[in-house]
mmCIF file of all heavy atoms in Angstrom:
data_model
loop_
_atom_site.group_PDB
_atom_site.id
_atom_site.type_symbol
_atom_site.label_atom_id
_atom_site.label_comp_id
_atom_site.label_asym_id
_atom_site.label_seq_id
_atom_site.Cartn_x
_atom_site.Cartn_y
_atom_site.Cartn_z
ATOM 1 N N VAL Z 165 9.677 4.763 6.874
ATOM 2 C CA VAL Z 165 9.629 4.956 5.432
ATOM 3 C C VAL Z 165 8.339 5.493 4.921
ATOM 4 O O VAL Z 165 8.298 6.287 4.027
ATOM 5 C CB VAL Z 165 9.931 3.484 4.766
ATOM 6 C CG1 VAL Z 165 9.671 3.500 3.292
ATOM 7 C CG2 VAL Z 165 11.342 2.980 5.057
ATOM 8 N N GLU Z 166 7.231 5.026 5.513
ATOM 9 C CA GLU Z 166 5.981 5.289 4.929
ATOM 10 C C GLU Z 166 5.333 6.660 5.246
ATOM 11 O O GLU Z 166 4.495 7.162 4.647
ATOM 12 C CB GLU Z 166 5.021 4.230 5.185
ATOM 13 C CG GLU Z 166 5.394 2.857 4.441
ATOM 14 C CD GLU Z 166 4.313 1.886 4.451
ATOM 15 O OE1 GLU Z 166 3.206 2.153 4.814
ATOM 16 O OE2 GLU Z 166 4.746 0.630 4.166
ATOM 17 N N ILE Z 167 5.539 7.108 6.417
ATOM 18 C CA ILE Z 167 4.976 8.457 6.823
ATOM 19 C C ILE Z 167 6.056 9.466 7.303
ATOM 20 O O ILE Z 167 7.027 8.994 7.798
ATOM 21 C CB ILE Z 167 3.795 8.253 7.872
ATOM 22 C CG1 ILE Z 167 4.326 7.465 9.063
ATOM 23 C CG2 ILE Z 167 2.620 7.674 7.331
ATOM 24 C CD1 ILE Z 167 3.206 7.413 10.196
ATOM 25 N N PRO Z 168 5.753 10.704 7.047
ATOM 26 C CA PRO Z 168 6.846 11.655 7.545
ATOM 27 C C PRO Z 168 7.106 11.610 9.003
ATOM 28 O O PRO Z 168 6.305 11.577 9.868
ATOM 29 C CB PRO Z 168 6.091 13.032 7.189
ATOM 30 C CG PRO Z 168 5.017 12.796 6.366
ATOM 31 C CD PRO Z 168 4.532 11.336 6.623
ATOM 32 N N LEU Z 169 8.433 11.512 9.256
ATOM 33 C CA LEU Z 169 8.923 11.363 10.652
ATOM 34 C C LEU Z 169 8.782 12.680 11.455
ATOM 35 O O LEU Z 169 8.436 12.650 12.640
ATOM 36 C CB LEU Z 169 10.411 10.992 10.651
ATOM 37 C CG LEU Z 169 10.965 10.574 11.888
ATOM 38 C CD1 LEU Z 169 10.442 9.308 12.355
ATOM 39 C CD2 LEU Z 169 12.544 10.301 11.677
ATOM 40 N N SER Z 170 8.890 13.763 10.723
ATOM 41 C CA SER Z 170 9.020 15.081 11.500
ATOM 42 C C SER Z 170 7.829 15.458 12.206
ATOM 43 O O SER Z 170 7.897 15.862 13.350
ATOM 44 C CB SER Z 170 9.350 16.242 10.467
ATOM 45 O OG SER Z 170 8.402 16.211 9.461
ATOM 46 N N GLN Z 171 6.689 15.192 11.603
ATOM 47 C CA GLN Z 171 5.435 15.674 12.415
ATOM 48 C C GLN Z 171 5.178 14.715 13.614
ATOM 49 O O GLN Z 171 4.782 15.185 14.644
ATOM 50 C CB GLN Z 171 4.196 15.590 11.424
ATOM 51 C CG GLN Z 171 4.120 16.714 10.395
ATOM 52 C CD GLN Z 171 2.913 16.672 9.598
ATOM 53 O OE1 GLN Z 171 2.077 15.724 9.644
ATOM 54 N NE2 GLN Z 171 2.690 17.666 8.766
ATOM 55 N N ARG Z 172 5.401 13.432 13.405
ATOM 56 C CA ARG Z 172 5.219 12.557 14.587
ATOM 57 C C ARG Z 172 6.180 12.875 15.698
ATOM 58 O O ARG Z 172 5.890 12.898 16.839
ATOM 59 C CB ARG Z 172 5.342 11.086 14.106
ATOM 60 C CG ARG Z 172 4.106 10.604 13.454
ATOM 61 C CD ARG Z 172 4.213 9.132 13.012
ATOM 62 N NE ARG Z 172 5.261 9.103 12.043
ATOM 63 C CZ ARG Z 172 6.313 8.176 12.080
ATOM 64 N NH1 ARG Z 172 6.395 7.334 13.113
ATOM 65 N NH2 ARG Z 172 7.234 8.121 11.180
ATOM 66 N N LEU Z 173 7.435 13.159 15.342
ATOM 67 C CA LEU Z 173 8.401 13.494 16.292
ATOM 68 C C LEU Z 173 8.089 14.828 17.006
ATOM 69 O O LEU Z 173 8.158 15.030 18.241
ATOM 70 C CB LEU Z 173 9.840 13.699 15.704
ATOM 71 C CG LEU Z 173 10.677 12.363 15.534
ATOM 72 C CD1 LEU Z 173 11.999 12.742 14.940
ATOM 73 C CD2 LEU Z 173 10.789 11.657 16.905
ATOM 74 N N ALA Z 174 7.602 15.849 16.247
ATOM 75 C CA ALA Z 174 7.228 17.055 16.851
ATOM 76 C C ALA Z 174 6.100 16.948 17.842
ATOM 77 O O ALA Z 174 6.183 17.392 19.040
ATOM 78 C CB ALA Z 174 6.723 18.026 15.726
ATOM 79 N N VAL Z 175 5.091 16.177 17.483
ATOM 80 C CA VAL Z 175 3.957 15.956 18.427
ATOM 81 C C VAL Z 175 4.396 15.155 19.673
ATOM 82 O O VAL Z 175 4.074 15.516 20.800
ATOM 83 C CB VAL Z 175 2.792 15.288 17.652
ATOM 84 C CG1 VAL Z 175 1.684 14.715 18.681
ATOM 85 C CG2 VAL Z 175 2.124 16.076 16.691
ATOM 86 N N PHE Z 176 5.138 14.127 19.402
ATOM 87 C CA PHE Z 176 5.657 13.312 20.508
ATOM 88 C C PHE Z 176 6.492 14.175 21.508
ATOM 89 O O PHE Z 176 6.375 14.110 22.720
ATOM 90 C CB PHE Z 176 6.415 12.158 20.020
ATOM 91 C CG PHE Z 176 7.062 11.277 21.152
ATOM 92 C CD1 PHE Z 176 6.375 10.438 21.875
ATOM 93 C CD2 PHE Z 176 8.449 11.476 21.371
ATOM 94 C CE1 PHE Z 176 6.906 9.769 22.985
ATOM 95 C CE2 PHE Z 176 9.043 10.763 22.424
ATOM 96 C CZ PHE Z 176 8.232 9.878 23.266
ATOM 97 N N GLY Z 177 7.377 14.967 20.848
ATOM 98 C CA GLY Z 177 8.337 15.887 21.600
ATOM 99 C C GLY Z 177 7.526 16.873 22.480
ATOM 100 O O GLY Z 177 7.819 16.984 23.605
#
Side-chain angles (χ1 to χ4, degrees):
Chain Z
V165 171
E166 292 192 16
I167 51 175
L169 188 68
S170 56
Q171 286 186 355
R172 281 178 297 128
L173 273 183
V175 169
F176 175 76

